[in-house]
Amino acid sequence: AIKFALLLILAYLIGSFPTGVLVGKLFYHKDIREYGSHNIGTTNTFRVLGPKAGTIVFLVDFFKGTLATSLPVIFHLGDHHYCLVFGAAAILGHAFSIFLKFRGGKAVATTAGFLLGYNVKFFGLCACFFIPLLLITSMVSMSSLISVILIFISSFFFHDSFLTIMSGVLVILIWWSHRTNIKRILNGSENLVPFGLYYWY
Ligand code: G3P
C-alpha cells in the first residue's frame, strides 16, 4: 500500500511538471500564462512561442501521461487497470499542478499520452478522431471537445468498464477546462490554427 501511495504521488508530480511555463520562462523570458489564450499547453505555446517550443511542450506533456500510466508496469504493481488510476493522477496533476497553485493546462496532450500508455489500439483510434477533426475545423479546442466524446462512446466497444468510467471523467474534465474556448466557439471568435479547411475557407 505504501508503494502504491508513493507511486501515485509520483504520478501526480510527473503530471504537475509545468512544461509550458518553464520552457517560456527559461528560453524565451516570457510567462506563457500572460499571452494568447493564457493556457500553458501545446496549442498556446505554438501560438505564442513558435513551433520549436510548441513541439517540445507537446512531447514532454504527452510523455508525462505515458510515463505515469506505465508506472504500475515498470514497478510490477497490481493489474493493468492500475494504469488508469496512475494516468488519471498525471492528468489531474497537469490540470491542477502543485507547482502552479493548483492551476494548469487543459489536459489534452497528457490525455493523449495516457491513452498511448494504456492501450495502443485505443490510442490509434482516438488519433483517427482527432487529426481529421483538426484538419477540418482548424480548432484544437473543438477537435479536443468532440474527440473526447467519441473516445467515451468508443470505449464501450473495448469491453473495459474502467476505461469507460475514466473516459467519462475525461469528458467532464476536458469540457470544463475548455469553458472559455466553448464561449469563443459559440461567438465565432475561437483561435484557428493556420491549416485545416475552416481556416482557408
Ligand atoms: O490543448 C488545449 C487546446 O484544446 C486549446 O488550447 O490555447 O487554444 O485554449 P488554447
Side-chain angles (χ1 to χ4, degrees):
I2 293 222
K3 188 173 163 188
F4 177 82
L6 287 176
L7 285 175
L8 201 58
I9 294 170
L10 178 64
Y12 171 76
L13 291 175
I14 291 171
S16 282
F17 184 79
T19 321
V21 175
L22 283 180
V23 167
K25 284 196 173 170
L26 289 177
F27 302 115
Y28 298 84
H29 307 292
K30 271 186 179 170
D31 187 337
I32 184 83
R33 292 169 295 182
E34 289 167 11
Y35 300 87
S37 69
H38 306 283
N39 191 37
I40 61 164
T42 300
T43 312
N44 202 37
T45 308
F46 263 96
R47 186 182 290 133
V48 174
L49 305 176
K52 208 197 291 176
T55 307
I56 294 171
V57 170
F58 173 72
L59 291 175
V60 176
D61 283 351
F62 181 97
F63 187 63
K64 289 190 318 194
T66 313
L67 177 64
T69 305
S70 309
L71 285 177
V73 179
I74 298 169
F75 291 95
H76 310 289
L77 190 75
D79 71 5
H80 189 53
H81 288 114
Y82 276 55
C83 298
L84 284 171
V85 180
F86 284 78
I91 292 167
L92 289 175
H94 179 78
F96 308 99
S97 169
I98 195 166
F99 305 115
L100 302 173
K101 298 184 182 141
F102 299 101
R103 299 180 65 113
K106 297 181 182 175
V108 176
T110 308
T111 293
F114 145 73
L115 291 171
L116 178 66
Y118 186 66
N119 185 327
V120 181
K121 274 191 204 151
F122 193 53
F123 169 79
L125 178 69
C126 300
C128 293
F129 298 144
F130 183 83
I131 295 167
L133 279 167
L134 184 61
L135 293 176
I136 293 166
T137 66
S138 314
M139 291 177 227
V140 183
S141 55
M142 174 105 87
S143 312
S144 308
L145 289 163
I146 300 175
S147 294
V148 74
I149 295 207
L150 296 175
I151 286 172
F152 176 63
I153 295 169
S154 53
S155 73
F156 285 93
F157 297 96
F158 280 74
H159 307 293
D160 178 346
S161 43
F162 292 102
L163 179 64
T164 300
I165 294 169
M166 172 79 172
S167 305
V169 172
L170 285 172
V171 171
I172 297 169
L173 177 67
I174 289 189
W175 275 69
W176 184 79
S177 70
H178 283 78
R179 57 202 183 284
T180 53
N181 301 79
I182 294 169
K183 273 188 208 145
R184 282 198 295 269
I185 291 170
L186 291 177
N187 68 30
S189 63
E190 178 59 317
N191 298 304
L192 303 179
V193 292
F195 52 85
L197 288 179
Y198 187 75
Y199 181 87
W200 290 103
Y201 192 60

